[in-house]
């Protein structure tokens, strides 16, 4: 059983506050839910709407069908969304939400109380009792929620769509929060960035980590941010930067500097529709090729694109370890949809072990760029021992001094590129959902993971034979990642949020696997389960 509610209004009217407070209370009451938002690139005005799917089982995507309830904080919500209300659904018109606001101001002396009253109405509709509301309420807000329950009783909608609270020990995460949490578990101790939607909340989470041994620096621009992070890494702490596509464009010299100096760094890139400013607050997976080829020159890198809260935490943590071990840049690709989506996961599913950086010491014979068989030179940091740690953005010898000697230049390039073989050995294998011998396979990466999974579950319930292969690591790709699945014997469909099938192209270039069909979406919105289910069914029947 599930209940889908949409709250729509102008920017500044409080729809986000309703989502935030509702999801906090649902977590305390042990409900499963998923929440996402659609907001415009302005502080006030425009039309924003927030979508919450509440269920008695785990849910991690928007259903995409009809809404059981729509609450209109403005007239545009009625015009745009009322046609999507299911038969027998609840529509709170603008006049009704005005009434909520007026009575809230009369009773509690402030209009902001109306947001909490609306939360109380939603809770009453799914069957939460006044006593349970009071238990879960924030300090001083129990009466607001109770008033919401009173409205629901007066309008005859209390208990109209009951949903059981079935989670055992739920924890609420949004995508950016999970990435920041994973980075802290990875031993990140310095983070720099310049605010840019949809990466800004990563910076916000770090700025609030006052009781943790991590320093956050809001730089004057993205060029400064990546160079600060590189400097901190050189000095001895695990470091990262976070940005979106336009900001990452300014980081190119810094990325290339990391490649030449072999300085470990992690960069989170929250994608949004481009080119240029594009759609600043919408979603897309259009920067894969850009990040894959970022920075002038040839040097190894890893690209992760997690698709669940647990995978985000795990891969963010792992990124810092791999960046250190191989002295390379590691990139975490996310997007607006996943960055802003709110999930519930069970506490036992969250890894908590912190991976700390090692601090080896060397004597005065230390050579930072010593030529080694595996391409990995010894890494230490200034001030720890008698070792002199030199580096330069020019090509250099083993000690770090500038050189233009042709043979040494070739040997240094070969040394750096040797790491690719080791990176492939460490590749994170894709995740399979469904039967390995299925007749068709849906290939996807990044944030589409759980949308595709649920759509395919519906297809299999219809009697089709389909499985999903999700790639949380998108580079490097290795034959071992696909060897068990006999892709050549299956119908292959690749699902992506871009216009050119960038990941499908990468599969062809790196592994020689061509897909039979691309399912692409690039209008700024994510896929929904229902939409993808219908599209895939049309291709498979």
């Amino acid at each position: 059983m599930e209940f889908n509610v949409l709250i729509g209004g102008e920017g500044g009217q409080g729809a986000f506050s309703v989502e935030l407070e509702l999801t906090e209370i649902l977590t305390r009451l042990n409900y499963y839910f998923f929440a996402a938002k659609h907001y415009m690139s302005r502080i006030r005005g425009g039309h924003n709407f927030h979508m919450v799917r509440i269920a008695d089982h785990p849910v991690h995507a928007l259903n995409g069908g009809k809404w059981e309830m729509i609450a209109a904080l403005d007239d545009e919500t009625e015009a745009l969304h009322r046609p999507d209300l299911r038969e027998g659904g609840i529509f709170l018109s603008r006049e009704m939400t005005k009434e909520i606001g007026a009575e809230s101001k009369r009773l509690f002396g402030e209009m902001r109380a109306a947001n909490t009253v609306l939360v109380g109405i939603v809770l009453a509709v799914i069957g939460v009792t006044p006593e349970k509301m009071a238990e879960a309420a924030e300090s001083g807000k129990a009466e607001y929620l109770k008033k919401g329950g009173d409205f629901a009783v007066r309008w005859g909608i209390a208990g109209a769509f009951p949903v059981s609270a079935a989670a055992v020990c739920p924890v609420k995460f949004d995508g950016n929060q999970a990435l920041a949490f994973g980075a802290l578990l990875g031993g990140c101790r310095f983070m720099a960035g310049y605010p840019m939607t949809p990466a800004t909340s990563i910076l916000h989470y770090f700025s609030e980590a006052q009781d943790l041994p991590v320093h956050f620096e809001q730089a004057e621009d993205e060029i400064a941010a990546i160079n600060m992070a590189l400097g901190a890494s050189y000095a001895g702490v695990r470091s990262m930067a976070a940005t979106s596509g336009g900001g990452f464009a300014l980081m190119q010299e810094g990325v290339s500097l990391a490649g030449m100096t072999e300085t470990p760094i992690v960069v989170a890139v929250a994608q949004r529709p481009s080119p240029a400013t594009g759609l600043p607050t919408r979603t897309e997976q259009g920067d894969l090729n850009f990040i894959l080829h970022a920075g002038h020159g040839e040097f190894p890198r890893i690209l992760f694109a997690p698709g669940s809260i647990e995978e985000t935490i795990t891969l963010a943590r792992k990124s810092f370890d791999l960046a250190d071990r191989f002295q390379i840049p590691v990139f975490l690709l996310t997007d607006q949809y996943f960055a802003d989506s709110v999930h519930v996961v069970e506490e036992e599913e969250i890894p908590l072990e912190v991976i700390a950086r090692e601090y080896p010491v060397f004597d005065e014979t230390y050579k930072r760029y010593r030529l080694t068989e595996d391409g990995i030179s010894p890494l230490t940091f200034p001030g720890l021992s008698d070792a002199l740690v030199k580096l330069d953005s020019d090509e250099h010898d083993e000690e770090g001094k500038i050189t233009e000697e042709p043979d040494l230049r070739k040997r240094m390039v070969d040394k750096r590129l040797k790491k690719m073989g080791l990176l492939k050995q460490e590749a994170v294998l894709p995740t399979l959902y469904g039967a390995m011998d299925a007749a068709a396979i849906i290939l996807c990466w990044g944030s589409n993971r759980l949308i595709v999974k649920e759509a395919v579950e519906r297809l299999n319930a219809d009697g089709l034979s389909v499985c999903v292969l999700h790639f949380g690591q998108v580079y490097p790709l290795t034959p071992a990642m696909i060897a068990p699945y006999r892709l050549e014997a299956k119908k292959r469909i690749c699902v992506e949020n871009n216009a050119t099938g960038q990941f499908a192209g990468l599969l062809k270039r790196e592994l020689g696997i061509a897909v039979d069909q691309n399912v692409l979406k690039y209008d700024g919105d994510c896929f929904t389960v229902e939409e993808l289910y219908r599209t895939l069914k049309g291709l498979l029947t």
Side-chain angles (χ1 to χ4, degrees), residues 26-52:
L26 289 171
T27 305
R28 295 185 200 126
L29 292 174
N30 291 349
Y31 276 92
Y32 287 115
F33 65 86
F34 174 82
K37 54 189 67 67
H38 189 288
Y39 57 101
M40 300 187 75
S41 180
R42 59 187 73 178
I43 296 172
R44 290 193 174 276
H47 178 64
N48 300 344
F49 53 96
H50 297 253
M51 302 155 283
V52 185

Side-chain angles (χ1 to χ4, degrees), residues 248-498:
F248 187 64
L250 296 175
M251 294 183 173
Q252 299 308 292
E253 278 192 301
V255 171
S256 191
L257 179 63
M260 174 58 86
T261 60
E262 300 179 64
T263 303
I265 189 171
V266 175
V267 182
V269 184
Q271 302 165 93
R272 67 190 199 185
S274 300
T277 314
L279 297 175
T281 59
R282 308 298 167 83
T283 201
E284 200 162 284
Q285 294 178 308
D287 291 343
L288 174 57
N289 285 337
F290 174 37
I291 298 164
L292 179 62
H293 300 289
H296 49 293
E298 300 168 297
F299 52 94
R301 69 195 68 196
I302 295 173
L303 275 64
F304 289 133
S308 70
I309 293 299
E310 299 89 337
E311 187 177 40
T312 301
I313 295 171
T314 298
L315 292 183
R317 181 178 65 169
K318 187 179 183 70
S319 294
F320 289 87
D321 186 48
L322 294 176
D324 260 13
R325 285 166 55 196
F326 301 113
Q327 302 165 35
I328 57 169
V330 177
F331 301 97
L332 288 162
L333 281 67
T334 181
D335 51 54
Q336 181 273 325
Y337 160 70
F338 189 74
D340 289 337
S341 294
V342 184
H343 301 246
V344 163
V345 295
E346 296 287 0
E347 185 175 310
E348 63 186 21
E349 299 170 350
I350 303 170
L352 295 175
E353 180 187 357
V354 177
I355 305 174
R357 171 177 261 184
E358 295 181 0
Y359 290 90
V361 296
F362 297 89
D363 60 24
E364 64 277 0
T365 65
Y366 174 73
K367 294 181 179 181
R368 171 64 187 92
Y369 299 105
R370 193 176 75 217
L371 293 163
T372 61
E373 278 198 31
D374 60 7
I376 300 177
S377 302
L379 176 64
T380 192
F381 311 100
L384 296 182
S385 62
D386 293 332
L388 182 59
V389 187
K390 300 178 186 177
L391 82 166
D392 200 285
S393 64
D394 287 71
E395 190 58 273
H396 39 256
D397 64 12
E398 290 183 282
E399 292 184 351
K401 297 176 183 177
I402 296 174
T403 183
E404 294 188 20
E405 200 278 308
D407 182 65
L408 184 54
R409 155 66 180 178
K410 181 178 182 302
R411 293 166 69 196
M412 281 293 172
V413 172
D414 290 343
K415 179 187 84 74
R416 291 189 288 268
L417 293 180
K418 276 181 185 177
K419 299 176 190 177
M420 282 302 299
L422 299 177
L423 299 187
K424 291 179 178 180
Q425 293 176 23
E426 293 282 339
V428 176
L429 299 178
T431 303
L432 179 75
Y433 295 110
M436 192 178 291
D437 61 353
I441 189 165
I442 313 301
L443 306 166
C444 61
W445 62 284
S447 63
N448 284 322
R449 171 175 172 162
L450 298 176
I451 305 172
V452 177
K453 175 179 180 288
E454 186 171 345
V456 166
E457 287 172 349
R458 294 190 187 182
L459 292 170
N460 284 321
D462 288 346
L464 297 172
S465 176
V466 194
C467 63
V468 180
L469 194 62
H470 172 270
F471 290 78
Q473 177 171 320
V474 293
Y475 187 82
L477 297 174
T478 71
M481 297 169 87
I482 61 170
Y485 308 113
R486 298 186 63 241
L487 298 187
E488 68 282 356
K490 302 180 188 298
K491 183 176 178 65
R492 301 173 297 279
I493 300 173
C494 191
V495 174
E496 304 187 56
N497 281 109
N498 57 58

Side-chain angles (χ1 to χ4, degrees), residues 118-197:
L118 181 53
V119 170
I121 294 173
V122 175
L123 294 172
V125 168
I126 64 171
V128 179
T129 64
E131 294 75 21
K132 284 291 184 181
M133 289 188 205
E135 288 176 19
E138 293 180 16
S139 175
K141 291 190 174 183
E143 285 301 309
Y144 301 174
L145 293 175
K146 180 179 181 300
K147 187 60 187 176
D150 293 343
F151 269 111
V153 171
R154 184 197 310 173
W155 291 335
I157 57 177
F161 294 98
V163 180
S164 300
V168 178
C169 194
V171 180
K172 184 181 88 164
F173 274 100
D174 66 43
N176 276 351
Q177 188 177 27
L179 192 151
F181 183 69
L184 292 170
L185 292 180
C188 180
R189 295 296 176 261
F190 180 87
M191 194 271 186
Y194 181 83
M196 188 173 187
T197 305

